Amino acid sequence: MHPRALPTLRKDDPSTAPSTADDLLFGDVHVTLDADRGVVTVTGDALPTVSLVRAEGADIDEAVPLGTRSAAALTLTVDGEAARLAPARGRFLRRSYRVDAECAGVRYRLAPDSLEESTLFKEGIAIGELSSTGDGWVSATWPEDRPAGSEVLPQDAAVGYALAAAFGTGGQSFWVAAGAFVGDLLS
């Protein structure tokens, strides 16, 4: 895949002020991550509003930007409509960091493909690459050479930004994780 030029990013106040990405397809995308309250919100002039909210009293996992990967403790809405969310456990294998969502009958998967980036799939077809630093900052690229019929729609982008902000992107490969585990045992 040959992506378009990377979007530029203006990073605002890192507390709970939105990070603003200048997305090449959708213009300004505002991503707000409030880790203390457990809320991610994505808005933009050309996007539906997406919210991901952690339930009060949920066990907090500091390794997850939103604080949990428990589907039972999370609520995803897209333009006010409830959506299904199924994050994997996020353990040793890279694929265990995937997150599945279903919104308005469309299935999405955000899955790590390197240490820092994840691919957004729509109905099993790769439509974009996302990167997040875990503090609300998200960057997305939408390759031009997608298969026919895999147009990136506003809902697709908004869901991708929300999943990347809430759960982070990237993941270690099995071999890197195994090496770190063995190194810990030997030290």
Side-chain angles (χ1 to χ4, degrees):
M1 289 187 191
H2 299 292
R4 291 179 158 192
L6 289 174
T8 58
L9 186 86
R10 297 183 309 274
K11 192 164 183 177
D12 301 306
D13 177 23
S15 60
T16 58
S19 293
T20 303
D22 182 15
D23 189 288
L24 292 173
L25 292 179
F26 302 102
D28 284 349
V29 176
H30 309 286
V31 179
T32 304
L33 168 64
D34 185 338
D36 293 336
R37 288 183 39 234
V39 177
V40 168
T41 305
V42 175
T43 61
D45 290 340
L47 299 178
T49 298
V50 174
S51 296
L52 230 165
V53 180
R54 182 184 70 225
E56 285 189 42
D59 290 336
I60 304 297
D61 180 348
E62 298 293 330
V64 180
L66 190 58
T68 187
R69 295 183 70 85
S70 169
L74 295 167
T75 303
L76 174 65
T77 58
V78 179
D79 239 4
E81 297 294 322
R84 188 183 68 75
L85 183 68
R89 295 174 44 131
R91 299 284 185 215
F92 298 108
L93 301 176
R94 184 176 285 165
R95 70 176 176 233
S96 75
Y97 288 92
R98 74 188 179 282
V99 180
D100 292 326
E102 186 172 336
C103 309
V106 180
R107 291 176 296 133
Y108 298 99
R109 173 170 281 178
L110 183 68
D113 58 12
S114 71
L115 191 57
E116 297 175 352
E117 292 187 337
S118 292
T119 299
L120 180 63
F121 294 88
K122 174 182 169 181
E123 300 295 344
I125 299 170
I127 62 168
E129 292 291 325
L130 290 100
S131 178
S132 175
T133 56
D135 61 359
W137 180 91
V138 179
S139 175
T141 7
W142 312 109
E144 292 179 341
D145 61 346
R146 293 180 307 277
S150 62
E151 178 183 9
V152 180
L153 301 175
Q155 173 181 289
D156 308 336
V159 168
Y161 275 97
L163 296 178
F167 300 103
T169 56
Q172 292 184 6
S173 70
F174 170 77
W175 298 110
V176 171
F181 177 73
V182 170
D184 287 346
L185 287 176
L186 297 176
S187 58

